[in-house]
Amino acid sequence: MVGRKRKSHKLPTKQASSSARIRTTSVRTSNSEAKTLKASTGGSLWRCIGGRVLKWSLILSIWGGIALGGVVAWYAYDLPDIDNLETPTRRASITLTDAAGREISTYGDIYGEPLRLADVPPQLVQAIVATEDRRFFEHFGFDPLALIRAVVANLRAGRVRQGGSTLTQQLAKVIFLKPDRTLRRKVQELLLAFWLEANFSKEQIFTLYINRVYLGSGTYGVDAAARRYFGKSARRVTLHEAAVLAGLLKAPSRYSPLRSRKAAEDRAKIVLRAMAAAKFIDKQTAKRTADRRLRLARSAAPSGTSRYFTDWALERVTGFVGRPSSDLIVRTTLDPRLQSLAQSRIRTYLKKYGKSRRIGQAALVAMSPSGAVRALVGGRDYGRSQYNRASQSLRQPGSAFKMFVYLAGMENGLTPDDRFVDGPLRIGNWRPRNYGNRYEGTVTLRHAMAKSINTVAVTVSERVGRERVIEMARRLGITSPLKSHPSLALGASEVSLVELTAAYGVIANGGIAVWPHGIIEIRNRAGKILYRRTDGAATQVVAADAVARTDDLLRAVVGWGTGKAANPGRPAAGKTGTSQEFRDAWFVGYTGELVTGIWMGNDDNSPMKRVTGSGFPARLWADFTRNALKGVAARPFAPDFPASSQSSRGASSFRLWWKRNTSNQPEPEEYPDGG
């Protein structure tokens, strides 16, 4: 077997060829079937994928719709009530006027006459649309193009310069929502905008918007704003005025003409350029109009000098008519000329002497002898501090309180010529001291008051009784707490400037009660009188002879005593006051026409630099009174008590006072106040 070759088995040639053909045909058949199978399989695959995409798209759409519905329900469940769309919620406005009926200021919400779209001038409609929502009449409450444009502009600027809200969205926010910057508020705003578009026409939406939108200075709606700023209905506004009103929509308080005329004018220029860009007006008209000076209504002119007074008067409105449910017009007792004079004089004195003498604040109240407040200044600058030092602050009056002590003494039989000893005095462990620790021996009460001698005032208070002094102060209108201590006579208890000034008014008024008041009349917008002040029967709270004797003492203070720097060049009376360590300095006095009180000091109760009532307060009092009564005939003072009750020295003192007080002499030098 070794070396034997293995046999090879081969098919015949013909048979082999047939087999090859069979294999070729089989391969071709397999390729065709594969292609057919592949095509069939691929189509099925795409159909399968398409079916799955459609299926999942449908599923996702359903769940997306459910999720969206859930989101909408979540933000919509506490949507505000939309049934009262036509009824605005507002605070009643209160307009205060001066004694002559000229408007001073307005508080609360001011609405004008409701306007239809047909009532509004075309230029006002165009100004609002061009500035706030150019595609207002085309969109369905939401404008994607405006939103994209705003986003691009803000990205380029690197800060928020434009908003994408439509007028419909703004209306939804104005009527239904709070101005919170939250996602909830924005979603609810959009939902309400869609609801508004579905239920109201574009004309109705625009009309609601222009009648309800806030436009600064307490005004709501274009008509109220036009009347407030321009003194006319919105029906008659010019192109420039329309641009000003439309400009307020961006920031009503910032662009209010009453706050800054220039800011309002600059904003109007932007509105006019937007109107030109929207093809509502041409560029030449826009430029020509933008160069015009804005003219405001006279009653719209800002009056920063009267804010202390108007705040004080406004607090008293509800006491007469309750909480107002309708707009009110309140006529006050204010004299704008005296108010402006008081404010300017206080600023002048504080600017000139405040820093060097450490005087931080001052206050002034001026009223008629019957109590009608003509001017009230509660501080040097209302813009920096609204705290009213004339009515809200309680300070020690010092020797200005001695008027009550001597009045109680006069009512109990004392006279200006009665003599008392000015010498060392001790009551328990307390010892009063005079200014400079000087004593003058035996003096008349007139002299003691004129020179503000402390020991005599305390002696009178103790002899009459402190309770009688307190009771006298109560009769004259002092409501602040008063402590029954020997130091009561020297003004150790705190009072307000308003009540102390009114108390001196009782002396100027002959002993008749004085109630400081700032309101004459209250009406509603229809003209119905809700309150009118009537003086009624005069109430004599102090006997006339006691008042006359006290008046004699106070005239001596101005005539030749500590208050001689207050001499206004006409008959006058009053009293200086200085608290311990020069913390408070006062002068309160009167002429036949006007009762005025002045206080100087610091809010933190820190001492001034030796400022006394006989110095700057007395000088300011003379300055104010002289200018306030310029051109007004003086009412002569004369003694109302029998001449026989005066000693020769008392009569001589009065004649000296009369000579000095009725002659036009230069202002005397400061005499330090003993209180």
Side-chain angles (χ1 to χ4, degrees), residues 370-389:
S370 62
V373 177
R374 304 301 186 194
L376 187 150
V377 180
R380 69 188 303 163
D381 189 343
Y382 182 89
R384 293 186 177 183
S385 172
Q386 292 77 52
Y387 181 62
N388 195 330
R389 295 154 190 84

mmCIF file with all atom_site columns, all heavy atoms in Angstrom, residues 370-389:
data_model
loop_
_atom_site.group_PDB
_atom_site.id
_atom_site.type_symbol
_atom_site.label_atom_id
_atom_site.label_alt_id
_atom_site.label_comp_id
_atom_site.label_asym_id
_atom_site.label_entity_id
_atom_site.label_seq_id
_atom_site.pdbx_PDB_ins_code
_atom_site.Cartn_x
_atom_site.Cartn_y
_atom_site.Cartn_z
_atom_site.occupancy
_atom_site.B_iso_or_equiv
_atom_site.pdbx_formal_charge
_atom_site.auth_seq_id
_atom_site.auth_comp_id
_atom_site.auth_asym_id
_atom_site.auth_atom_id
_atom_site.pdbx_PDB_model_num
ATOM 1   N N   . SER A 1 370 ? -57.807 133.826 66.285 1.00 0.00 ? 370 SER A N   1
ATOM 2   C CA  . SER A 1 370 ? -58.893 132.875 66.520 1.00 0.00 ? 370 SER A CA  1
ATOM 3   C C   . SER A 1 370 ? -58.471 131.432 66.278 1.00 0.00 ? 370 SER A C   1
ATOM 4   O O   . SER A 1 370 ? -59.272 130.512 66.448 1.00 0.00 ? 370 SER A O   1
ATOM 5   C CB  . SER A 1 370 ? -60.087 133.208 65.611 1.00 0.00 ? 370 SER A CB  1
ATOM 6   O OG  . SER A 1 370 ? -59.721 133.098 64.246 1.00 0.00 ? 370 SER A OG  1
ATOM 7   N N   . GLY A 1 371 ? -57.215 131.211 65.841 1.00 0.00 ? 371 GLY A N   1
ATOM 8   C CA  . GLY A 1 371 ? -56.699 129.850 65.708 1.00 0.00 ? 371 GLY A CA  1
ATOM 9   C C   . GLY A 1 371 ? -56.597 129.301 64.300 1.00 0.00 ? 371 GLY A C   1
ATOM 10  O O   . GLY A 1 371 ? -56.196 128.146 64.130 1.00 0.00 ? 371 GLY A O   1
ATOM 11  N N   . ALA A 1 372 ? -56.936 130.086 63.265 1.00 0.00 ? 372 ALA A N   1
ATOM 12  C CA  . ALA A 1 372 ? -56.818 129.620 61.883 1.00 0.00 ? 372 ALA A CA  1
ATOM 13  C C   . ALA A 1 372 ? -55.347 129.616 61.479 1.00 0.00 ? 372 ALA A C   1
ATOM 14  O O   . ALA A 1 372 ? -54.719 130.667 61.396 1.00 0.00 ? 372 ALA A O   1
ATOM 15  C CB  . ALA A 1 372 ? -57.615 130.525 60.948 1.00 0.00 ? 372 ALA A CB  1
ATOM 16  N N   . VAL A 1 373 ? -54.801 128.432 61.240 1.00 0.00 ? 373 VAL A N   1
ATOM 17  C CA  . VAL A 1 373 ? -53.373 128.301 60.942 1.00 0.00 ? 373 VAL A CA  1
ATOM 18  C C   . VAL A 1 373 ? -53.099 128.811 59.530 1.00 0.00 ? 373 VAL A C   1
ATOM 19  O O   . VAL A 1 373 ? -53.637 128.278 58.551 1.00 0.00 ? 373 VAL A O   1
ATOM 20  C CB  . VAL A 1 373 ? -52.914 126.843 61.088 1.00 0.00 ? 373 VAL A CB  1
ATOM 21  C CG1 . VAL A 1 373 ? -51.449 126.697 60.701 1.00 0.00 ? 373 VAL A CG1 1
ATOM 22  C CG2 . VAL A 1 373 ? -53.133 126.371 62.523 1.00 0.00 ? 373 VAL A CG2 1
ATOM 23  N N   . ARG A 1 374 ? -52.256 129.838 59.421 1.00 0.00 ? 374 ARG A N   1
ATOM 24  C CA  . ARG A 1 374 ? -51.918 130.441 58.132 1.00 0.00 ? 374 ARG A CA  1
ATOM 25  C C   . ARG A 1 374 ? -50.623 129.891 57.551 1.00 0.00 ? 374 ARG A C   1
ATOM 26  O O   . ARG A 1 374 ? -50.429 129.916 56.331 1.00 0.00 ? 374 ARG A O   1
ATOM 27  C CB  . ARG A 1 374 ? -51.787 131.964 58.283 1.00 0.00 ? 374 ARG A CB  1
ATOM 28  C CG  . ARG A 1 374 ? -53.001 132.644 58.863 1.00 0.00 ? 374 ARG A CG  1
ATOM 29  C CD  . ARG A 1 374 ? -54.220 132.400 58.018 1.00 0.00 ? 374 ARG A CD  1
ATOM 30  N NE  . ARG A 1 374 ? -55.385 133.148 58.476 1.00 0.00 ? 374 ARG A NE  1
ATOM 31  C CZ  . ARG A 1 374 ? -56.629 132.913 58.075 1.00 0.00 ? 374 ARG A CZ  1
ATOM 32  N NH1 . ARG A 1 374 ? -56.861 131.927 57.213 1.00 0.00 ? 374 ARG A NH1 1
ATOM 33  N NH2 . ARG A 1 374 ? -57.624 133.638 58.542 1.00 0.00 ? 374 ARG A NH2 1
ATOM 34  N N   . ALA A 1 375 ? -49.732 129.413 58.398 1.00 0.00 ? 375 ALA A N   1
ATOM 35  C CA  . ALA A 1 375 ? -48.468 128.831 57.943 1.00 0.00 ? 375 ALA A CA  1
ATOM 36  C C   . ALA A 1 375 ? -47.993 127.834 58.980 1.00 0.00 ? 375 ALA A C   1
ATOM 37  O O   . ALA A 1 375 ? -48.166 128.062 60.184 1.00 0.00 ? 375 ALA A O   1
ATOM 38  C CB  . ALA A 1 375 ? -47.415 129.916 57.729 1.00 0.00 ? 375 ALA A CB  1
ATOM 39  N N   . LEU A 1 376 ? -47.412 126.741 58.507 1.00 0.00 ? 376 LEU A N   1
ATOM 40  C CA  . LEU A 1 376 ? -46.889 125.729 59.411 1.00 0.00 ? 376 LEU A CA  1
ATOM 41  C C   . LEU A 1 376 ? -45.697 125.065 58.737 1.00 0.00 ? 376 LEU A C   1
ATOM 42  O O   . LEU A 1 376 ? -45.830 124.459 57.677 1.00 0.00 ? 376 LEU A O   1
ATOM 43  C CB  . LEU A 1 376 ? -47.961 124.699 59.757 1.00 0.00 ? 376 LEU A CB  1
ATOM 44  C CG  . LEU A 1 376 ? -47.620 123.656 60.820 1.00 0.00 ? 376 LEU A CG  1
ATOM 45  C CD1 . LEU A 1 376 ? -48.887 123.215 61.566 1.00 0.00 ? 376 LEU A CD1 1
ATOM 46  C CD2 . LEU A 1 376 ? -46.946 122.422 60.218 1.00 0.00 ? 376 LEU A CD2 1
ATOM 47  N N   . VAL A 1 377 ? -44.542 125.197 59.351 1.00 0.00 ? 377 VAL A N   1
ATOM 48  C CA  . VAL A 1 377 ? -43.319 124.583 58.845 1.00 0.00 ? 377 VAL A CA  1
ATOM 49  C C   . VAL A 1 377 ? -42.779 123.661 59.929 1.00 0.00 ? 377 VAL A C   1
ATOM 50  O O   . VAL A 1 377 ? -42.502 124.109 61.039 1.00 0.00 ? 377 VAL A O   1
ATOM 51  C CB  . VAL A 1 377 ? -42.259 125.643 58.468 1.00 0.00 ? 377 VAL A CB  1
ATOM 52  C CG1 . VAL A 1 377 ? -40.993 124.963 57.951 1.00 0.00 ? 377 VAL A CG1 1
ATOM 53  C CG2 . VAL A 1 377 ? -42.809 126.610 57.428 1.00 0.00 ? 377 VAL A CG2 1
ATOM 54  N N   . GLY A 1 378 ? -42.631 122.377 59.595 1.00 0.00 ? 378 GLY A N   1
ATOM 55  C CA  . GLY A 1 378 ? -42.227 121.401 60.592 1.00 0.00 ? 378 GLY A CA  1
ATOM 56  C C   . GLY A 1 378 ? -40.768 121.015 60.561 1.00 0.00 ? 378 GLY A C   1
ATOM 57  O O   . GLY A 1 378 ? -40.356 120.110 61.283 1.00 0.00 ? 378 GLY A O   1
ATOM 58  N N   . GLY A 1 379 ? -39.952 121.700 59.746 1.00 0.00 ? 379 GLY A N   1
ATOM 59  C CA  . GLY A 1 379 ? -38.531 121.384 59.677 1.00 0.00 ? 379 GLY A CA  1
ATOM 60  C C   . GLY A 1 379 ? -37.869 122.107 58.529 1.00 0.00 ? 379 GLY A C   1
ATOM 61  O O   . GLY A 1 379 ? -38.516 122.794 57.737 1.00 0.00 ? 379 GLY A O   1
ATOM 62  N N   . ARG A 1 380 ? -36.569 121.928 58.402 1.00 0.00 ? 380 ARG A N   1
ATOM 63  C CA  . ARG A 1 380 ? -35.817 122.664 57.398 1.00 0.00 ? 380 ARG A CA  1
ATOM 64  C C   . ARG A 1 380 ? -36.025 122.112 55.993 1.00 0.00 ? 380 ARG A C   1
ATOM 65  O O   . ARG A 1 380 ? -35.905 122.834 55.016 1.00 0.00 ? 380 ARG A O   1
ATOM 66  C CB  . ARG A 1 380 ? -34.328 122.660 57.743 1.00 0.00 ? 380 ARG A CB  1
ATOM 67  C CG  . ARG A 1 380 ? -33.627 121.330 57.619 1.00 0.00 ? 380 ARG A CG  1
ATOM 68  C CD  . ARG A 1 380 ? -32.198 121.393 58.161 1.00 0.00 ? 380 ARG A CD  1
ATOM 69  N NE  . ARG A 1 380 ? -31.401 122.424 57.505 1.00 0.00 ? 380 ARG A NE  1
ATOM 70  C CZ  . ARG A 1 380 ? -30.265 122.909 57.996 1.00 0.00 ? 380 ARG A CZ  1
ATOM 71  N NH1 . ARG A 1 380 ? -29.812 122.462 59.170 1.00 0.00 ? 380 ARG A NH1 1
ATOM 72  N NH2 . ARG A 1 380 ? -29.575 123.808 57.341 1.00 0.00 ? 380 ARG A NH2 1
ATOM 73  N N   . ASP A 1 381 ? -36.358 120.807 55.848 1.00 0.00 ? 381 ASP A N   1
ATOM 74  C CA  . ASP A 1 381 ? -36.472 120.208 54.519 1.00 0.00 ? 381 ASP A CA  1
ATOM 75  C C   . ASP A 1 381 ? -37.413 119.012 54.569 1.00 0.00 ? 381 ASP A C   1
ATOM 76  O O   . ASP A 1 381 ? -37.060 117.964 55.104 1.00 0.00 ? 381 ASP A O   1
ATOM 77  C CB  . ASP A 1 381 ? -35.090 119.785 54.017 1.00 0.00 ? 381 ASP A CB  1
ATOM 78  C CG  . ASP A 1 381 ? -35.100 119.350 52.555 1.00 0.00 ? 381 ASP A CG  1
ATOM 79  O OD1 . ASP A 1 381 ? -36.172 119.062 52.019 1.00 0.00 ? 381 ASP A OD1 1
ATOM 80  O OD2 . ASP A 1 381 ? -34.004 119.315 51.950 1.00 0.00 ? 381 ASP A OD2 1
ATOM 81  N N   . TYR A 1 382 ? -38.600 119.155 54.000 1.00 0.00 ? 382 TYR A N   1
ATOM 82  C CA  . TYR A 1 382 ? -39.581 118.070 54.012 1.00 0.00 ? 382 TYR A CA  1
ATOM 83  C C   . TYR A 1 382 ? -39.079 116.865 53.225 1.00 0.00 ? 382 TYR A C   1
ATOM 84  O O   . TYR A 1 382 ? -39.365 115.721 53.568 1.00 0.00 ? 382 TYR A O   1
ATOM 85  C CB  . TYR A 1 382 ? -40.907 118.548 53.421 1.00 0.00 ? 382 TYR A CB  1
ATOM 86  C CG  . TYR A 1 382 ? -42.000 117.508 53.447 1.00 0.00 ? 382 TYR A CG  1
ATOM 87  C CD1 . TYR A 1 382 ? -42.848 117.393 54.545 1.00 0.00 ? 382 TYR A CD1 1
ATOM 88  C CD2 . TYR A 1 382 ? -42.196 116.648 52.370 1.00 0.00 ? 382 TYR A CD2 1
ATOM 89  C CE1 . TYR A 1 382 ? -43.849 116.429 54.573 1.00 0.00 ? 382 TYR A CE1 1
ATOM 90  C CE2 . TYR A 1 382 ? -43.187 115.687 52.390 1.00 0.00 ? 382 TYR A CE2 1
ATOM 91  C CZ  . TYR A 1 382 ? -44.012 115.587 53.490 1.00 0.00 ? 382 TYR A CZ  1
ATOM 92  O OH  . TYR A 1 382 ? -45.001 114.629 53.511 1.00 0.00 ? 382 TYR A OH  1
ATOM 93  N N   . GLY A 1 383 ? -38.331 117.133 52.136 1.00 0.00 ? 383 GLY A N   1
ATOM 94  C CA  . GLY A 1 383 ? -37.826 116.046 51.316 1.00 0.00 ? 383 GLY A CA  1
ATOM 95  C C   . GLY A 1 383 ? -36.915 115.112 52.077 1.00 0.00 ? 383 GLY A C   1
ATOM 96  O O   . GLY A 1 383 ? -36.876 113.908 51.818 1.00 0.00 ? 383 GLY A O   1
ATOM 97  N N   . ARG A 1 384 ? -36.167 115.636 53.032 1.00 0.00 ? 384 ARG A N   1
ATOM 98  C CA  . ARG A 1 384 ? -35.247 114.815 53.820 1.00 0.00 ? 384 ARG A CA  1
ATOM 99  C C   . ARG A 1 384 ? -35.900 114.217 55.053 1.00 0.00 ? 384 ARG A C   1
ATOM 100 O O   . ARG A 1 384 ? -35.513 113.143 55.513 1.00 0.00 ? 384 ARG A O   1
ATOM 101 C CB  . ARG A 1 384 ? -34.043 115.653 54.240 1.00 0.00 ? 384 ARG A CB  1
ATOM 102 C CG  . ARG A 1 384 ? -33.153 116.077 53.086 1.00 0.00 ? 384 ARG A CG  1
ATOM 103 C CD  . ARG A 1 384 ? -31.903 116.780 53.602 1.00 0.00 ? 384 ARG A CD  1
ATOM 104 N NE  . ARG A 1 384 ? -31.003 117.136 52.522 1.00 0.00 ? 384 ARG A NE  1
ATOM 105 C CZ  . ARG A 1 384 ? -29.816 117.714 52.698 1.00 0.00 ? 384 ARG A CZ  1
ATOM 106 N NH1 . ARG A 1 384 ? -29.391 118.000 53.923 1.00 0.00 ? 384 ARG A NH1 1
ATOM 107 N NH2 . ARG A 1 384 ? -29.054 118.012 51.660 1.00 0.00 ? 384 ARG A NH2 1
ATOM 108 N N   . SER A 1 385 ? -36.858 114.915 55.612 1.00 0.00 ? 385 SER A N   1
ATOM 109 C CA  . SER A 1 385 ? -37.509 114.415 56.827 1.00 0.00 ? 385 SER A CA  1
ATOM 110 C C   . SER A 1 385 ? -38.949 114.912 56.870 1.00 0.00 ? 385 SER A C   1
ATOM 111 O O   . SER A 1 385 ? -39.194 116.111 56.873 1.00 0.00 ? 385 SER A O   1
ATOM 112 C CB  . SER A 1 385 ? -36.762 114.894 58.078 1.00 0.00 ? 385 SER A CB  1
ATOM 113 O OG  . SER A 1 385 ? -37.491 114.569 59.249 1.00 0.00 ? 385 SER A OG  1
ATOM 114 N N   . GLN A 1 386 ? -39.898 113.957 56.892 1.00 0.00 ? 386 GLN A N   1
ATOM 115 C CA  . GLN A 1 386 ? -41.318 114.313 56.959 1.00 0.00 ? 386 GLN A CA  1
ATOM 116 C C   . GLN A 1 386 ? -41.808 114.442 58.408 1.00 0.00 ? 386 GLN A C   1
ATOM 117 O O   . GLN A 1 386 ? -42.984 114.728 58.637 1.00 0.00 ? 386 GLN A O   1
ATOM 118 C CB  . GLN A 1 386 ? -42.155 113.260 56.232 1.00 0.00 ? 386 GLN A CB  1
ATOM 119 C CG  . GLN A 1 386 ? -41.956 113.241 54.730 1.00 0.00 ? 386 GLN A CG  1
ATOM 120 C CD  . GLN A 1 386 ? -40.676 112.564 54.303 1.00 0.00 ? 386 GLN A CD  1
ATOM 121 O OE1 . GLN A 1 386 ? -40.410 111.433 54.709 1.00 0.00 ? 386 GLN A OE1 1
ATOM 122 N NE2 . GLN A 1 386 ? -39.875 113.228 53.499 1.00 0.00 ? 386 GLN A NE2 1
ATOM 123 N N   . TYR A 1 387 ? -40.911 114.260 59.356 1.00 0.00 ? 387 TYR A N   1
ATOM 124 C CA  . TYR A 1 387 ? -41.289 114.405 60.768 1.00 0.00 ? 387 TYR A CA  1
ATOM 125 C C   . TYR A 1 387 ? -41.651 115.861 61.042 1.00 0.00 ? 387 TYR A C   1
ATOM 126 O O   . TYR A 1 387 ? -40.870 116.777 60.784 1.00 0.00 ? 387 TYR A O   1
ATOM 127 C CB  . TYR A 1 387 ? -40.134 113.974 61.650 1.00 0.00 ? 387 TYR A CB  1
ATOM 128 C CG  . TYR A 1 387 ? -40.423 114.058 63.130 1.00 0.00 ? 387 TYR A CG  1
ATOM 129 C CD1 . TYR A 1 387 ? -41.425 113.293 63.713 1.00 0.00 ? 387 TYR A CD1 1
ATOM 130 C CD2 . TYR A 1 387 ? -39.684 114.904 63.947 1.00 0.00 ? 387 TYR A CD2 1
ATOM 131 C CE1 . TYR A 1 387 ? -41.679 113.365 65.070 1.00 0.00 ? 387 TYR A CE1 1
ATOM 132 C CE2 . TYR A 1 387 ? -39.931 114.988 65.312 1.00 0.00 ? 387 TYR A CE2 1
ATOM 133 C CZ  . TYR A 1 387 ? -40.923 114.213 65.861 1.00 0.00 ? 387 TYR A CZ  1
ATOM 134 O OH  . TYR A 1 387 ? -41.176 114.292 67.205 1.00 0.00 ? 387 TYR A OH  1
ATOM 135 N N   . ASN A 1 388 ? -42.867 116.064 61.561 1.00 0.00 ? 388 ASN A N   1
ATOM 136 C CA  . ASN A 1 388 ? -43.379 117.414 61.761 1.00 0.00 ? 388 ASN A CA  1
ATOM 137 C C   . ASN A 1 388 ? -43.054 117.890 63.172 1.00 0.00 ? 388 ASN A C   1
ATOM 138 O O   . ASN A 1 388 ? -43.720 117.524 64.141 1.00 0.00 ? 388 ASN A O   1
ATOM 139 C CB  . ASN A 1 388 ? -44.893 117.447 61.530 1.00 0.00 ? 388 ASN A CB  1
ATOM 140 C CG  . ASN A 1 388 ? -45.420 118.852 61.369 1.00 0.00 ? 388 ASN A CG  1
ATOM 141 O OD1 . ASN A 1 388 ? -44.882 119.801 61.925 1.00 0.00 ? 388 ASN A OD1 1
ATOM 142 N ND2 . ASN A 1 388 ? -46.480 118.992 60.600 1.00 0.00 ? 388 ASN A ND2 1
ATOM 143 N N   . ARG A 1 389 ? -42.036 118.724 63.280 1.00 0.00 ? 389 ARG A N   1
ATOM 144 C CA  . ARG A 1 389 ? -41.581 119.209 64.581 1.00 0.00 ? 389 ARG A CA  1
ATOM 145 C C   . ARG A 1 389 ? -42.514 120.259 65.161 1.00 0.00 ? 389 ARG A C   1
ATOM 146 O O   . ARG A 1 389 ? -42.392 120.604 66.339 1.00 0.00 ? 389 ARG A O   1
ATOM 147 C CB  . ARG A 1 389 ? -40.157 119.749 64.458 1.00 0.00 ? 389 ARG A CB  1
ATOM 148 C CG  . ARG A 1 389 ? -39.171 118.664 64.096 1.00 0.00 ? 389 ARG A CG  1
ATOM 149 C CD  . ARG A 1 389 ? -37.949 119.183 63.386 1.00 0.00 ? 389 ARG A CD  1
ATOM 150 N NE  . ARG A 1 389 ? -37.145 118.088 62.850 1.00 0.00 ? 389 ARG A NE  1
ATOM 151 C CZ  . ARG A 1 389 ? -37.376 117.501 61.667 1.00 0.00 ? 389 ARG A CZ  1
ATOM 152 N NH1 . ARG A 1 389 ? -38.377 117.919 60.909 1.00 0.00 ? 389 ARG A NH1 1
ATOM 153 N NH2 . ARG A 1 389 ? -36.631 116.507 61.252 1.00 0.00 ? 389 ARG A NH2 1
#
